[in-house]
């Protein structure tokens, strides 16, 4: 569903737009998307709408239209994994100056198709929230995204849970330099236990960055808050991090445990 001027647009109009995008009717879809008047907040939701090559081009052209007033685009589960589809959408985003929120979750986006999106992220000056969760991003994709975030000064929230584990260490190290990023959602990301120190170190180095991560693979977990970050980690790894000889113990020594009977296990030393 999408709204215009704070009111819900009819199902008929929503269905009309989806039909135009599916058919690849560039001109008609562009006119419909651009109907919002200046200053009117508009949300475009095409979730579950399978976009072909022509449909992706139609949507990209609509977003690139000078009259486009769309601020939120939701394309969850639209099967955008093919590079040509994402290339058309990314081209539209590069030319767009109104979209602030983009949801591309559940599209099976892999490393190859992520490259085009990364270029759009690097060049946009308005996009603030991007959801790339439940995709197939790995080593190369994380690297492309990290470089794009470093070049971008507007992204404040990144949701990237439920992707692949390879390449995560380099990504977490690079994220530290992305000063505009304030929320990093890693829920459901299969971070190996060996990278927990890197994750804790990122929270220590960037107290202004809220990191959300949960590892519920163990029966006994601790809910930890450190600075603005929240972690759910196995007890044994939390204790191991606290008793390391280097500065990793600083993280858990100053952490707050949330709603857990094992709080005493991680009390700060006197």
């Amino acid at each position: 569903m999408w709204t215009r001027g704070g009111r819900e647009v009819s199902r008929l109009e929503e269905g009309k737009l989806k039909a135009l995008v599916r058919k690849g009717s560039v001109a008609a879809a562009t006119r419909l998307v651009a109907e919002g008047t200046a200053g009117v907040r508009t949300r475009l939701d095409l979730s579950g709408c399978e976009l072909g090559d022509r449909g992706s081009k139609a949507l990209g052209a609509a977003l690139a239209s000078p009259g486009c007033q769309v601020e939120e685009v939701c394309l969850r589960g639209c099967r955008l994994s093919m590079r040509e589809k994402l290339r058309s959408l990314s081209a539209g985003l590069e030319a767009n100056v109104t979209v602030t929120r983009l949801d591309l979750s559940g599209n099976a986006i892999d490393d190859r198709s992520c490259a085009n999106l990364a270029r759009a992220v690097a060049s946009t000056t308005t996009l603030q929230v991007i959801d790339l969760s439940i995709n197939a991003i790995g080593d190369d994709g994380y690297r492309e995204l990290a470089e794009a975030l470093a070049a971008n000064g507007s992204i404040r929230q990144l949701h990237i849970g439920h992707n692949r584990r390879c390449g995560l260490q380099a990504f977490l190290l690079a994220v530290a330099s992305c000063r505009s990023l304030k929320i990093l959602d890693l829920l459901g990301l299969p971070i190996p236990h060996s990278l927990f120190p890197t994750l804790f170190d990122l929270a220590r180095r960037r107290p202004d960055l809220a990191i959300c991560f949960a590892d519920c693979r163990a029966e006994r977990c601790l809910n930890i808050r450190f600075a603005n970050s929240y972690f759910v980690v196995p007890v044994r790894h939390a204790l191991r991090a606290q008793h390391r000889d280097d500065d990793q113990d600083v993280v858990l020594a100053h952490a707050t445990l949330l709603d857990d009977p094992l709080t005493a296990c991680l009390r700060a030393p006197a």
Side-chain angles (χ1 to χ4, degrees):
M1 186 56 61
W2 54 303
T3 59
R4 181 183 299 142
R7 67 178 179 83
E8 186 176 291
V9 176
S10 69
R11 290 280 184 180
L12 179 62
E13 193 169 8
E14 179 186 9
K16 180 181 178 181
L17 177 61
K18 287 187 176 183
L20 290 173
V21 171
R22 283 196 187 99
K23 293 178 181 178
S25 302
V26 178
T30 301
R31 279 197 305 272
L32 192 56
V33 171
E35 279 179 359
T37 57
V40 175
R41 178 176 179 275
T42 305
R43 182 172 188 268
L44 175 62
D45 190 343
L46 294 174
S47 296
C49 178
E50 185 174 349
L51 302 178
D53 291 339
R54 293 177 61 195
S56 300
K57 290 178 180 178
L59 181 57
L63 293 176
S65 169
C68 178
Q69 296 296 321
V70 174
E71 294 183 6
E72 298 183 40
V73 178
C74 184
L75 300 173
R76 185 166 49 250
C78 289
R79 300 189 180 184
L80 294 171
S81 57
M82 298 298 292
R83 280 183 291 176
E84 289 301 323
K85 296 180 182 180
L86 210 53
R87 182 180 291 125
S88 299
L89 175 62
S90 298
L93 289 172
E94 286 186 60
N96 181 275
V97 293
T98 61
V99 174
T100 60
R101 303 176 70 94
L102 176 64
D103 185 348
L104 292 174
S105 60
N107 278 292
I109 297 172
D110 59 13
D111 290 350
R112 291 184 300 175
S113 52
C114 193
N116 293 314
L117 179 62
R119 283 194 291 272
V121 170
S123 62
T124 181
T125 58
T126 58
L127 192 60
Q128 298 179 18
V129 181
I130 182 167
D131 189 343
L132 291 171
S133 58
I134 320 176
N135 280 295
I137 299 172
D139 200 345
D140 292 339
Y142 287 131
R143 186 181 65 253
E144 296 273 4
L145 282 175
E147 293 175 357
L149 288 172
N152 178 286
S154 64
I155 301 290
R156 296 182 60 83
Q157 295 184 31
L158 175 62
H159 304 267
I160 200 168
H162 295 282
N163 277 280
R164 295 176 177 172
R165 62 188 293 175
C166 56
L168 276 174
Q169 183 169 18
F171 175 74
L172 292 174
L173 292 173
V175 162
S177 63
C178 304
R179 309 308 301 185
S180 66
L181 192 66
K182 300 302 179 184
I183 297 178
L184 179 61
D185 177 7
L186 304 174
L187 295 176
L189 202 60
I191 296 179
H193 297 155
S194 60
L195 288 187
F196 283 177
T198 302
L199 193 60
F200 290 143
D201 186 59
L202 175 60
R204 179 181 62 80
R205 294 168 58 193
R206 286 288 307 277
D208 61 316
L209 175 63
I211 307 170
C212 301
F213 169 71
D215 181 354
C216 298
R217 290 171 286 185
E219 293 182 3
R220 300 176 64 198
C221 292
L222 291 178
N223 302 318
I224 300 172
R225 177 177 179 180
F226 175 73
N228 288 323
S229 298
Y230 295 85
F231 305 104
V232 179
V233 296
V235 173
R236 66 182 184 280
H237 291 283
L239 291 173
R240 184 183 305 165
Q242 186 192 22
H243 291 101
R244 285 169 57 101
D245 293 332
D246 57 25
D247 62 354
Q248 292 298 331
D249 62 339
V250 175
V251 173
L252 294 178
H254 294 81
T256 301
L257 301 191
L258 307 173
D259 303 322
D260 194 286
L262 298 177
T263 300
C265 293
L266 290 179
R267 283 179 180 168

